[in-house]
Amino acid sequence: MTLPEPEYLILAAVSVASGLALGPVIRQRLRRFLFAGGAGAAFLATALVWSASRGLVREGLAVNLVGAALFGVAAVLLPFSAGASLTGP
């Protein structure tokens, strides 16, 4: 399992922009829920990378796909909720 690719930066930038645009219509409770989901996904992805690097989990296609999906979720949810909180009520 490798660290996130540069494409995740593009995902994060687009997510921040959409969060800034949709901030006024996103409720604070939903923003908190999205932030918690993104933080949880980032934590799980980091734990998966750490356990794969220590040899606790054997690297394979399933581990790489789950890690990429978790990093993708974190790269979308965390910047979106941050951008929405800047412009939201």
Side-chain angles (χ1 to χ4, degrees), residues 12-23:
V14 170
S15 183
V16 165
S18 61
L20 288 171
L22 292 174

Side-chain angles (χ1 to χ4, degrees), residues 20-67:
L20 288 171
L22 292 174
V25 296
I26 302 292
R27 293 184 180 176
Q28 185 176 10
R29 183 177 174 152
L30 181 60
R31 285 190 304 242
R32 287 181 184 162
F33 178 72
L34 292 173
F35 182 79
F43 177 73
L44 287 175
T46 304
L48 187 63
V49 168
W50 179 82
S51 62
S53 69
R54 298 284 184 195
L56 300 174
V57 176
R58 203 172 36 189
E59 279 193 56
L61 181 61
V63 171
N64 289 337
L65 287 176
V66 169

